[in-house]
Amino acid sequence: MKKRIWMSVALMLVLVLTACGKADNTASKNVATNDAAATESTSGSKDTFTMVLGGDPGTSVNSLTTQDRYGLTTLNMIYSPLYSTQNDGTHYFLAESMDASEDGMVYTAKLRQNVTWHDGTPFTADDVIFTMNAVLDEANNAAQRQQLLFNGEPVKIDKVDDYTVTFTLPEFSASAKEMFGGIYIMPKHIYENVDSIEKSEINMTAPVGTGPYKLAKYTPGQSVEFTANTDYFLGAPKIQNVVFRIIEKAATAKIALQKGEVDLHTILPSDIADLEGSNISHESYDEGRVAYVKIHTWGNNMDNIDFRKAIFYALNKDEIMKAAFQDPENYTTTETFLPAANPYYNDKVTNYTQDLTKSKEHLEASGVQNPTVRLAYISSDDAQTKEALVIQAQLQAAGITTELVGITNEAYNDVSTKKGDTTADMILGGYIMGIDPNSFLPLFDATEQGWMHMEDAEIDALFHQANVEKDPQKRQELYGDVQQKIQDTAIFYPLGGNKRIVGYTPSLSGLEDAKLVPVFTFEDMSKLFFQ
């Protein structure tokens, strides 16, 4: 499995699961009052917007296997999906509409006409068919493949005409429309004869998309540069050049923002006071992210469920989240795999509220002597570092010694997803999935690619039963059962969600039209401009 939704990346998966982003995009805003500063770009060039990218997207950014925040943010500049699903509804891009038949078994996508690829080739239904079939081809290891499978059977995609495509389901699926969105459409004429799309040199040397920007230059470890696609189907970008400056260390990135070397950077609540008086505006929004602690059941004593419960009952998630995000205005806690604001959230599941008596009872029942665990976290991530220190202290109070294992962004994927990796017994992470609960299935399914390595066929069966259920109330109850079942495994400990805060130069405008969204920061960067 490749990097997931921005899973840890503190994304970094997550994944992204493509399913990227679907959250409450309501943003709160604080704007600097220095009018003089507000008239100039701190980057020194009004035709260039520079933002920090907290990690290197690498050379294999492509529509099929990219799942981390950095790669997806890059992808979103170059390519376009048919549409995306957000809390406020469907946002259409290459499709003008997506309608279901009366029985919900056939979806018809009407495509935009007069859209061209960056090389001038017309975009047509053939590109959609090619992309969807590439996703379904198991050899491509596409992250979204599961979105196009329904109880193991693939959706059938047919061309009606150059601008109409149908998706015929093998069985009813309540989440089908959301599953079909968010997949970036690839140009058939570029990739149809490529042996390995993931490894193709085209990806970061000469990609051809339909998105608002064209890749101009990628310098590993330093930057990704783009130029405006003046033929962009939603209107030519207002800023000619965009630079993603790769800065992994948050402290270094904050200094760059303060010095005006970059125009935008993601900050923590603790950074806001430091930025007072520096003519930096900031705005926060909800990404629908869920932070978690994942148990590696192959770790030392981690196959012992009493030991796992001893760990869970020792933790206080509110204190853990508060350490990183300071004020409840900036975070929420969750007791299940769903964000607390999700309409399917079940607040009656077993919640492992901190109870040191129960923790010690389970520890005794486990028979584990001199209990010690190794907790992995991304050492360059300030939030995870703070969370890890609190967890260490809480476990110590329960008589469990914790060895903190700081790892890099690059190592995160292997440590988190490679079953049998011996780096740590448990790991901090975070994911951003979709709105429909079925979009979370890839995290918990029993396949080899299941992110949490649950390997529980009953969980898969419950997810499937809920997804094919047409009665909303029964569906709600079934997803409640899924959430309880996952809690019972004591493999996954949800912490909560946090608002993402972006600090930016006050002269940057158009944020409302560009839309702050999960994972990418902006849904459509073409709408940004400098005053």
Side-chain angles (χ1 to χ4, degrees), residues 227-238:
T227 59
N229 170 21
T230 55
D231 295 322
Y232 181 46
F233 58 91
L234 293 180
K238 297 177 180 179

Side-chain angles (χ1 to χ4, degrees), residues 5 157 528:
I5 297 175
I157 304 126
L528 294 177

